[in-house]
């Protein structure tokens, strides 16, 4: 419902004089790309704000928090549309990638740009009178910059045609994940809620660091489940090995492999042939990466809990724990 | 010099932890894409601010106006990098398009995004304490939205594989040009200067309209010179006919052609074969489009002058006239 209202606003934006054809294009493009995800990031804004407020939200507060939640979803849609073009991907959320549709093609690049441009249009409409308006703009700008920078790191590290496993080391992995995923997926929704609650983000550097660490932990899980998760449960068949991804698993394997195993890794990683994929998975199992992951998961959890309990504010503790418990030991 | 300082700032931005490799990438990407144009848009900010201030600028004023000028150039670089990908172009400013470089490819899409993200980084660094800071953010956001919307119109109107001259009519042409080019090339530099001079942009709607009309006139000239200009003078060989562009010339030709000529237009427009290009140019000449253009140029000039002289403020009149006289009857 909030989504429909935001879409209707955008289709009547007075800053552009729509033709019928262009209005239909945007309508279809939004429906194809913006809803349809799990909406975790968007819902997080509302939940976080509820906790910070210490109770129920009135209609207006709920609406505004939902609007910010949708802005995070719009940001995500923008990143995904462009990422799929750059990765030459085929499917997304169980349907063809937007740029794969015959009528779309590289127009999708501009559609990604438009999705990004919709965010300040929405913020301007609903928040321009708020004292925290300028901080919202700064926040979205900073987080987008970090995400695009993480994407650059990812692209130049895992560059097609120059496959080179020697670059896949843990500090590189951590840096890519923090910038490319953690800031916008974990920090941004909470930061939106903090701004709505009247807080100054400069006082929440620790909270930012905790959320970025949680986002890293989340991505490690994602990489683990890509190989060892149940496709029935996670809803897709992982292809990180075939895609030569800088996955946490291959980073761990490279750290632990003997010379013989290193040879197998470098000869088979990134090859879509099923026998190559099996060779890689065999090494993962031989190196006992399932146990390495369990240990990592346990230690991350304990470190996060102790960092959270070091926070002064009880609502902030509650908020961070609710995030952590949503993802701890997840299977999908 | 200002450019070098801004680049150095961006390469040390504390919001991202650069690796040597990623710092070098950005360094090279900026040098390749940001300077090297004519810098008309950037210089316009400084000149406009000088006129509005009624005299010389002190060092600080000059520096800040130059920074905003460079922000407009950064915006332009962002649009061009992405436009060349979407148009599958080969050259830009006399060198291969950025995405054509073997090491770059579709990473260029993310580089375009990064160029766009650099603008709020620069604004935050140099303007965040200014009372007009939030209005600068709103301005860049609105103008970027209009440009991306104009680009969408252009893309869906001139869609490859669905070549259809019947769509090329003057209102369509005007709408594309206004949104895709005029707002960011003509209105944005002046609006930046107005904000620096402490003005409220809501009081300058007429100035905006005049500048958008001037931008339209500028694009008509560009289209005319693409066919009838001297390649030695304009520095490139036009390819609008080969590229099936929605050019002012083809719009005028379609309005004036008889049935026989319409047939030739639809059979030859967009075909890179030199004999097809010649057939189109012959029709343009037969329809006397040179004279049609001269008349348009004269009338546009007179309308713009009378609109400018209707403005209350003398400095604003001077500013708008300086713009107009820079482009009136230009040959390049
Ligand atoms: Mg991808
Ligand atoms: Mg990717
Ligand atoms: Mg994954
Ligand atoms: Mg182009
Ligand atoms: Mg184009
Ligand atoms: Mg041209």
């Amino acid at each position: 419902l909030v989504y429909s209202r935001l879409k209707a606003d955008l289709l009547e934006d007075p800053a552009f004089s729509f033709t019928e054809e262009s209005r239909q294009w945007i309508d279809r493009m939004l429906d194809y790309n913006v809803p349809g995800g799990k909406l975790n990031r968007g819902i997080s804004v509302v939940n976080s704000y509820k906790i910070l407020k210490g109770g129920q939200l009135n209609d207006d507060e709920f609406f505004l928090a939902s609007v910010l939640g949708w802005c995070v979803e719009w940001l995500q849609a923008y990143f995904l549309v462009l990422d799929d073009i750059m990765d030459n991907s085929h499917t997304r959320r169980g349907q063809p990638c937007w740029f794969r549709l015959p009528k779309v093609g590289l127009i999708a690049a501009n559609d990604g740009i438009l999705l990004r441009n919709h965010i300040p249009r929405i913020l301007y409409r609903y928040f321009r009178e708020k004292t925290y308006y300028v901080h919202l703009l700064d926040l979205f700008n900073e987080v987008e910059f970090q995400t695009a920078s993480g994407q650059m790191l990812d692209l130049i590290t895992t560059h097609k045609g120059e496959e080179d496993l020697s670059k896949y080391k843990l500090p590189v992995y951590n840096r890519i994940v923090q910038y490319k995923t953690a800031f916008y997926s974990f920090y941004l929704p909470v930061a939106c809620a903090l701004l709505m609650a009247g807080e100054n983000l400069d006082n929440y550097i620790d909270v930012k660091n905790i959320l970025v660490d949680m986002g890293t932990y989340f991505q490690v899980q994602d990489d683990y489940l890509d190989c060892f998760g149940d496709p029935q449960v996670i809803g897709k068949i992982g292809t990180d090995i075939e895609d030569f991804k800088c996955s946490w698993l291959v980073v761990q394997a490279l750290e632990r492999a003997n010379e013989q195993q290193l040879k197998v890794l470098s000869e088979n990683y990134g090859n879509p042939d099923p026998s190559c994929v099996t060779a890689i998975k065999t090494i993962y199992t031989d190196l006992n990466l399932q146990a390495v992951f369990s240990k990592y998961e346990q230690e991350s959890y304990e470190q996060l809990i102790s960092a959270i309990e070091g926070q002064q504010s009880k609502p902030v503790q509650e908020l961070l724990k609710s995030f952590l418990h949503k993802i701890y030991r997840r299977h999908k």
Side-chain angles (χ1 to χ4, degrees), chain A residues 86-318:
Chain A
M86 290 185 270
D87 292 342
N88 200 22
S89 297
H90 288 267
T91 57
R92 165 73 66 190
R93 295 171 176 170
Q95 58 184 5
C97 300
W98 175 240
F99 84 95
R100 293 273 170 198
L101 299 198
K103 288 193 80 152
V104 181
L106 283 180
I107 298 180
N110 196 64
D111 289 330
I113 298 297
L114 281 168
L115 288 166
R116 188 248 162 263
N117 275 278
H118 287 161
I119 298 164
R121 302 308 298 160
I122 296 171
L123 296 178
Y124 182 77
R125 178 179 286 257
Y126 291 107
F127 294 92
R128 70 171 178 276
E129 307 290 349
K130 304 288 181 192
T131 51
Y132 55 86
Y133 173 59
V134 69
H135 303 116
L136 268 181
L137 294 180
D138 286 343
L139 172 66
F140 273 88
N141 283 330
E142 177 166 276
V143 169
E144 186 193 338
F145 169 70
Q146 291 169 317
T147 308
S149 298
Q151 176 76 333
M152 165 184 64
L153 263 187
D154 187 20
L155 289 164
I156 66 184
T157 304
T158 68
H159 193 275
K160 270 275 158 201
E162 287 192 36
E163 278 89 353
D164 177 6
L165 280 179
S166 68
K167 288 187 183 172
Y168 288 5
K169 297 202 189 304
L170 197 58
V172 173
Y173 175 83
N174 281 328
R175 200 191 315 241
I176 292 175
V177 168
Q178 277 171 31
Y179 285 101
K180 199 181 78 157
T181 306
F183 277 101
Y184 93 87
S185 302
F186 282 75
Y187 173 61
L188 178 60
V190 173
C192 285
L194 285 166
L195 287 177
M196 280 193 75
E199 298 295 327
N200 179 341
L201 295 179
D202 294 341
N203 302 330
Y204 289 87
I205 306 298
D206 291 350
V207 170
K208 183 199 283 200
N209 291 331
I210 291 170
L211 286 161
V212 168
D213 288 345
M214 226 185 281
T216 306
Y217 163 58
F218 179 86
Q219 184 60 44
V220 171
Q221 292 176 311
D222 192 80
D223 291 353
Y224 180 80
L225 293 171
D226 188 90
C227 177
F228 293 114
D230 180 348
Q232 299 280 357
V233 179
I234 59 173
K236 64 180 175 189
I237 296 162
T239 58
D240 284 356
I241 294 171
E242 291 89 328
D243 295 344
F244 200 76
K245 284 280 167 69
C246 182
S247 158
W248 185 83
L249 291 170
V250 76
V251 169
Q252 296 300 327
L254 289 163
E255 267 186 24
R256 289 168 169 77
N258 61 31
E259 243 174 85
Q260 161 63 19
Q261 290 168 318
L262 275 180
K263 194 159 175 293
V264 177
L265 285 170
S266 71
E267 281 169 2
N268 294 279
Y269 201 69
N271 190 326
D273 185 320
S275 71
C276 298
V277 176
T278 305
I280 300 292
K281 291 199 180 184
T282 304
I283 291 186
Y284 287 175
T285 306
D286 292 348
L287 292 171
N288 221 348
L289 293 190
Q290 292 100 318
V292 175
F293 172 75
S294 287
K295 186 154 170 281
Y296 168 86
E297 177 151 59
Q298 196 52 41
E299 287 173 3
S300 298
Y301 178 78
E302 284 160 15
Q303 279 166 21
L304 286 165
I305 285 291
S306 95
I308 291 169
E309 291 182 341
Q311 290 299 301
Q312 298 276 324
S313 145
K314 287 286 164 195
V316 167
Q317 285 195 15
E318 188 192 337

